[in-house]
Amino acid sequence: MNTIKTFIPSESVDSFKKFADKTQKNVKDFTYSLGKPYQKLFYHPVIEEDGTAGHLTKVFHEVCDLTVNIPEQSGWKLLATYKDDAFTPVDPTKELVFKNPQHGAHYGKCDHCGHWCKNAYVIENITTGEELQVGCECIKKFGIDDMYYISDFTRKLYEIYNYKLNYATDKEYGDLLEWGGRKDSSYKNAILKTNLIMAAKSQYEICPVYKKGTKVENVRYRSATLEGIDTILNSGNLKVDETYVKAVCEFGAKIHPKTEFEEDMLTVAKNFYCYQGQEVYAFFLVKAYEDSLKPELNLPKGCQVKVCGKVIQKRFEESYFGMMEINTILTDKGVTCERYGKVPTTEDKRTSFYALVKGVFKGKVSLDRATKNPKKGIEVINI
């Protein structure tokens, strides 16, 4: 018996019960229990442009404890699902090679009844190794209709709440969980890792700075960087450089993760298939590899630099003194800078100014106050 213990938002209880009751009706020994609604504090991580968690906000959510008991299956195992034009391998960590090379999205028929089918399962007999691609109805005839309902149940539960939780410690509130109420995209269409890395590389060449999502008048806009990767993936003009992908993955495999974000980057490097939700990790994997090829910036704190380049992104964050303007600049020499405060710009977002260096953090230069003229007596370094 596989037991899942998690939470779901209280507003999602009614929709959860609809598909959970259906699963319980069709799967023997499948059970679940829901607790009463209560207020629980969760962390909400804020991801900075370099992919690190810049700070955490604490938010109360009304949730219900949930325990799900899922019976184990035997006899046949599921290899992949083709549903609504999406290909979902059970194990995304390695290449899925069918014993029957004709099996796949374009197979178009059920091996059991011979009829045409759009949605299908590829299954394998645990004892004999026999591989079949069967339709949604015929799969029930193999005694594994439970698998159909359990797969559907877990996919829908992920949509309501991502129960792959992360724990943290807080002095005031004790152990806190990272909120998982956002939709998880791990059930969606699989993407070849080679394609994802090349799309991330192409987007990096367009702009090596990650552009965070923005919020304007309570409307959230997705990261322009991730939108760019989607556009490249969907263009059909992607050229894969296997040598480059191999180099990136070998670099990524050497990562000793210290954060969950780095663990996700390592996952992209090791897996064969990826998903849309992993685009951000692919981008930072490419960025980390490209940064490793560049000479290290030697800009000590307090040195003076002249910045000539383009403002890539301007965003605003709440601070102790009110709303703070944050400018990310890509210089003509390819150096990424960040200035908390205003900078002079032209209509085409070009900027040129002098500033003292506050520090260099993960390849990004943090700048002090922007001035029109250099400070006398301090050497100027053009970056």
Side-chain angles (χ1 to χ4, degrees):
M1 188 72 68
N2 180 27
T3 300
I4 298 173
K5 292 185 178 181
T6 184
F7 313 87
I8 59 171
S10 59
E11 66 267 18
S12 301
V13 167
D14 289 341
S15 59
F16 168 80
K17 284 183 176 180
K18 289 180 181 179
F19 65 82
D21 289 343
K22 181 180 179 181
T23 306
Q24 192 170 43
K25 179 181 177 181
N26 290 279
V27 179
K28 183 181 178 181
D29 297 328
F30 174 93
T31 61
Y32 74 89
S33 61
L34 280 164
K36 294 182 180 180
Y38 66 98
Q39 293 288 332
K40 185 174 179 63
L41 189 67
F42 291 86
Y43 273 137
H44 280 246
V46 178
I47 303 300
E48 298 293 348
E49 290 184 349
D50 61 357
T52 60
H55 61 277
L56 297 169
T57 58
K58 300 168 187 174
V59 181
F60 278 100
H61 292 274
E62 187 177 84
V63 299
C64 297
D65 291 334
L66 170 66
T67 301
V68 182
N69 294 307
I70 301 176
E72 296 178 351
Q73 304 299 301
S74 61
W76 291 82
K77 66 178 181 179
L78 183 67
L79 299 179
T81 302
Y82 292 93
K83 187 173 183 180
D84 299 330
D85 297 320
F87 160 56
T88 307
V90 171
D91 185 357
T93 64
K94 57 187 178 182
E95 181 180 9
L96 178 57
V97 180
F98 294 131
K99 294 178 179 178
N100 182 349
Q102 294 182 343
H103 282 164
H106 303 292
Y107 189 59
K109 70 174 182 178
C110 174
D111 287 333
H112 181 71
C113 67
H115 290 166
W116 179 88
C117 60
K118 179 181 179 181
N119 298 327
Y121 296 88
V122 181
I123 57 176
E124 182 181 69
N125 189 287
I126 296 173
T127 304
T128 66
E130 181 184 9
E131 180 185 282
L132 299 173
Q133 183 161 327
V134 296
C136 297
E137 292 300 320
C138 286
I139 198 169
K140 300 176 184 179
K141 300 176 184 178
F142 287 81
I144 55 172
D145 54 320
D146 288 1
M147 189 181 298
Y148 168 81
Y149 290 105
I150 290 172
S151 296
D152 192 56
F153 169 82
T154 54
R155 179 179 65 84
K156 289 179 179 177
L157 179 57
Y158 265 112
E159 291 186 51
I160 286 180
Y161 190 86
N162 174 14
Y163 53 85
K164 295 179 288 187
L165 300 172
N166 309 298
Y167 289 84
T169 300
D170 182 83
K171 292 181 181 179
E172 183 179 359
Y173 295 98
D175 288 340
L176 293 185
L177 296 172
E178 183 176 314
W179 177 243
R182 63 187 187 278
K183 290 186 178 181
D184 182 89
S185 60
S186 61
Y187 61 91
K188 292 186 178 179
N189 191 34
I191 306 168
L192 284 173
K193 174 184 67 178
T194 52
N195 290 351
L196 181 57
I197 288 178
M198 288 310 302
K201 164 65 171 172
S202 298
Q203 179 59 36
Y204 177 87
E205 291 176 346
I206 295 171
C207 178
V209 177
Y210 180 77
K211 297 183 179 180
K212 293 175 61 176
T214 56
K215 182 179 178 182
V216 180
E217 296 181 352
N218 297 322
V219 179
R220 292 190 178 277
Y221 296 91
R222 189 166 178 251
S223 160
T225 301
L226 301 185
E227 290 290 348
I229 292 175
D230 281 343
T231 300
I232 293 167
L233 282 170
N234 296 329
S235 68
N237 298 321
L238 191 65
K239 294 182 180 180
V240 175
D241 183 340
E242 297 287 353
T243 302
Y244 180 83
V245 172
K246 182 180 178 181
V248 171
C249 292
E250 288 178 348
F251 169 83
K254 297 176 183 177
I255 293 175
H256 298 289
K258 298 179 182 178
T259 64
E260 184 191 358
F261 196 93
E262 289 178 343
E263 289 178 357
D264 289 325
M265 288 170 60
L266 181 61
T267 298
V268 171
K270 289 185 174 180
N271 283 7
F272 189 86
Y273 296 103
C274 296
Y275 299 90
Q276 185 186 49
Q278 294 173 300
E279 289 175 345
V280 62
Y281 311 122
F283 179 84
F284 280 103
L285 180 61
V286 168
K287 186 178 186 302
Y289 171 72
E290 293 289 341
D291 287 345
S292 72
L293 303 178
K294 300 176 182 178
E296 186 175 351
L297 282 173
N298 184 20
L299 295 173
K301 181 179 179 181
C303 72
Q304 184 170 208
V305 294
K306 182 177 182 181
V307 178
C308 291
K310 190 171 184 178
V311 176
I312 298 298
Q313 186 177 41
K314 178 184 291 186
R315 67 184 195 277
F316 297 88
E317 289 185 4
E318 190 70 38
S319 71
Y320 180 80
F321 301 100
M323 293 301 292
M324 177 70 74
E325 177 181 319
I326 305 171
N327 289 281
T328 303
I329 304 151
L330 181 63
T331 72
D332 296 335
K333 292 189 175 183
V335 178
T336 303
C337 304
E338 188 170 76
R339 158 83 176 122
Y340 277 67
K342 294 184 178 182
V343 299
T345 56
T346 59
E347 291 184 1
D348 58 355
K349 297 183 180 180
R350 294 281 304 174
T351 185
S352 179
F353 60 89
Y354 296 88
L356 298 183
V357 172
K358 296 171 67 176
V360 180
F361 308 99
K362 294 188 177 181
K364 183 186 297 182
V365 182
S366 178
L367 301 174
D368 209 333
R369 187 167 62 94
T371 61
K372 183 178 180 181
N373 299 308
K375 291 183 178 295
K376 295 181 180 180
I378 303 178
E379 179 186 0
V380 176
I381 303 171
N382 291 307
I383 61 173

